[in-house]
């Protein structure tokens, strides 16, 4: 009887210690079985921040884009060879920008004030990217031979480079163009939405006759 009472007292003293040292059920659920290779036994992505290691999915397109553009990237009102075609998925087909007709050597201008965040080559093509002042947007221009450097502040209409004679996004020198893109984070947006209506409608300047002034012969 005394031995039984002694064992009962020992177990009563040990139980609180076992409760403190035993792992929580959540820890058991996430622990791999003995002999399991490291990283196995847990669901894919468990404990990984959302979006880590994978391209960000297309974000909401409802956020308004401020019409802060003050000029076209090239020319006065260049023909749009191909418009913006948003992809349905991250890797889906589409056109993540607009193609503007421009012969090689044409100056390429910043559509709005900002700061150059990239000026260099990507996949053999010259690229310039400008973060637009006061916004979370950035524009890209390619193929462009840059005349600016990363960190340069640019005003609206400032020349950032010239259209490269080779490596045209449109595929040939006869159909040379500038691919103009707009991003918010990793989400592509329609760059034409940067331009106010008066700039979208503006055509090339024309000299009109003035009454009472004879036209040149």
């Amino acid at each position: 009887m005394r031995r039984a009472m002694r064992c009962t007292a020992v177990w009563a003293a040990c139980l609180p210690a076992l409760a403190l040292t035993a792992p929580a059920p959540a820890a058991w659920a996430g622990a791999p079985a003995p002999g399991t290779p490291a990283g196995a036994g847990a669901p894919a992505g468990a404990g990984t921040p959302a979006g880590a290691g994978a391209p960000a999915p297309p974000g909401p397109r409802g956020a308004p884009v401020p019409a802060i553009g003050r000029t076209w990237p090239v020319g006065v009102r260049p023909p749009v060879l191909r418009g913006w075609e948003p992809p349905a998925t991250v890797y889906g087909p589409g056109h993540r920008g607009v193609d503007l007709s421009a012969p090689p050597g044409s100056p390429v201008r910043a559509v709005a004030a900002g700061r150059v965040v990239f000026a260099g080559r990507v996949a053999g093509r010259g690229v310039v990217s400008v973060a637009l002042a006061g916004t979370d947007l950035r524009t890209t221009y390619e193929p462009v031979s840059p005349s600016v450097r990363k960190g340069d502040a640019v005003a609206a209409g400032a020349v950032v480079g010239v259209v490269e004679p080779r490596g045209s996004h449109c595929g040939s020198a006869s159909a040379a163009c500038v691919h103009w893109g707009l991003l918010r984070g990793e989400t592509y947006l329609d760059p034409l939405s940067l331009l106010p209506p008066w700039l979208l409608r503006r055509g090339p300047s024309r000299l009109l006759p003035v009454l009472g002034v004879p036209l040149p012969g």
Side-chain angles (χ1 to χ4, degrees):
M1 174 66 82
R2 289 180 179 177
R3 182 177 298 176
M5 293 177 65
R6 187 179 302 155
C7 291
T8 301
V10 170
W11 276 105
C14 293
L15 282 174
L18 289 173
L20 290 173
T21 57
W28 298 339
T36 304
T48 303
R61 298 192 181 95
V65 174
I68 58 175
R70 292 297 174 262
T71 184
W72 285 84
V74 289
V76 176
R77 176 61 173 86
V80 177
L81 302 180
R82 185 179 179 185
W84 182 63
E85 301 165 11
T89 61
V90 174
Y91 296 110
H95 191 233
R96 296 162 173 83
V98 296
D99 293 342
L100 305 176
S101 178
S106 300
V108 179
R109 296 179 171 83
V111 298
R115 189 169 297 275
V116 178
V117 293
F118 182 84
R121 306 199 73 77
V122 176
R125 290 197 294 263
V127 178
V128 174
S129 181
V130 178
L132 303 183
T135 75
D136 57 352
L137 304 169
R138 68 184 189 276
T139 55
T140 59
Y141 313 94
E142 63 171 289
V144 174
S145 180
S147 58
V148 291
R149 297 181 182 179
K150 180 179 178 179
D152 286 353
V154 293
V159 175
V160 297
V162 297
V163 180
E164 290 186 337
R166 297 182 181 179
S168 172
H169 176 78
C170 293
S172 66
S174 60
C177 72
V178 167
H179 179 79
W180 175 28
L182 175 66
L183 296 98
R184 173 179 281 130
E186 298 303 318
T187 301
Y188 288 88
L189 304 169
D190 183 2
L192 292 178
S193 59
L194 282 172
L195 302 181
W198 63 266
L199 194 54
L200 283 169
R201 292 193 298 264
R202 191 177 74 180
S205 300
R206 293 182 299 170
L207 293 177
L208 299 177
V210 178
L211 292 178
V213 177
L215 294 174

